Amino acid sequence: TKGATEALNLVANTLGQNYLQEGDEVLIPPLSFVATANAVVYCGANPHFVDCHESTLGIDPVKLRDYLSTQTELRSGHCVNKSTGRIIRAMVPVHTFGHPVDLEGLISIARDYKLVMIEDAAESIGSYYDNQHTGTFSKLGILSFNGNKTVTTGGGGAILTSDVAVAKHVNSGRQFGSFQA
Ligand SMILES: *Cc1c(COP(=O)(O)O)cnc(C)c1O
């Protein structure tokens, strides 16, 4: 892709076709580059900011589980925010400055609260969690090769997915340029 911003937008759009609905909420950390929140807004969903952990600098799973247990309830298999009445459909953890988030904790929350996880690994090329590269723990992850990142091609990004249907969908969006900035 042209960059991780485009990659995130394509991913959000892919989710949008199959999954994310306008007005849904997506959990993201406030400590990130603006592209993370923009991708959520881009597909008509609402960023819902949740606290970071002071050592991983990523979403704090202990605080998040505690927060979701009081703030949400499961209604027909969906995680609903009791204050807004909206469905919280996904979360986008960011591996800040290359530090992997607590993936084990977040994956278990995603399972319990029926959230899709998209990893923003724009800053974490070369970072591993449990001997596995960051960005590959969920169905969708993204990398950035922008000039200010760990490994750069000047500009560019990549989408990581193990799902063939998703790969085909994002690839057609990319080639036909509907999301080029
Ligand atoms: C840099 C960055 C992006 C956007 O990457 P670009 O390739 O510059 O579009 C997205 N998310 C995070 C966390 C970033 O640091």
Side-chain angles (χ1 to χ4, degrees):
T1 64
K2 285 194 160 178
T5 299
E6 189 202 22
L8 274 171
N9 286 348
L10 281 165
V11 162
N13 189 268
T14 300
L15 273 179
Q17 309 264 319
N18 305 314
Y19 194 74
L20 256 187
Q21 319 274 310
E22 220 172 293
D24 282 351
E25 295 181 11
V26 178
L27 304 176
I28 62 171
L31 179 61
S32 181
F33 181 59
V34 69
T36 315
N38 280 350
V40 174
V41 173
Y42 174 78
C43 58
N46 300 294
H48 182 143
F49 294 101
V50 290
D51 270 355
C52 289
H53 189 272
E54 65 182 11
S55 63
T56 67
L57 304 178
I59 297 176
D60 181 332
V62 174
K63 283 191 184 158
L64 182 60
R65 189 175 276 287
D66 191 42
Y67 174 68
L68 292 177
S69 74
T70 58
Q71 183 63 30
T72 70
E73 61 191 17
L74 282 176
R75 285 186 212 154
S76 13
H78 298 305
C79 175
V80 176
N81 181 341
K82 288 196 279 187
S83 305
T84 61
R86 295 185 175 126
I87 295 175
I88 303 179
R89 199 86 69 163
M91 74 160 98
V92 188
V94 176
H95 303 292
T96 313
F97 306 141
H99 297 287
V101 296
D102 179 345
L103 280 159
E104 195 185 344
L106 293 182
I107 287 168
S108 121
I109 291 173
R111 198 180 302 125
D112 294 347
Y113 285 87
K114 319 289 177 212
L115 307 172
V116 165
M117 195 165 110
I118 302 161
E119 278 173 85
D120 185 341
E123 300 177 12
S124 66
I125 294 181
S127 295
Y128 291 79
Y129 180 91
D130 272 353
N131 295 318
Q132 189 179 324
H133 200 282
T134 51
T136 63
F137 283 80
S138 14
K139 189 145 105 170
L140 287 157
I142 62 97
L143 299 175
S144 171
F145 306 112
N146 194 21
N148 62 347
K149 298 303 198 288
T150 328
V151 172
T152 178
T153 54
I159 294 165
L160 307 173
T161 183
S162 50
D163 185 310
V164 176
V166 166
K168 284 191 176 145
H169 187 271
V170 291
N171 204 35
S172 66
R174 188 183 64 79
Q175 282 169 352
F176 297 122
S178 8
F179 307 103
Q180 290 183 359

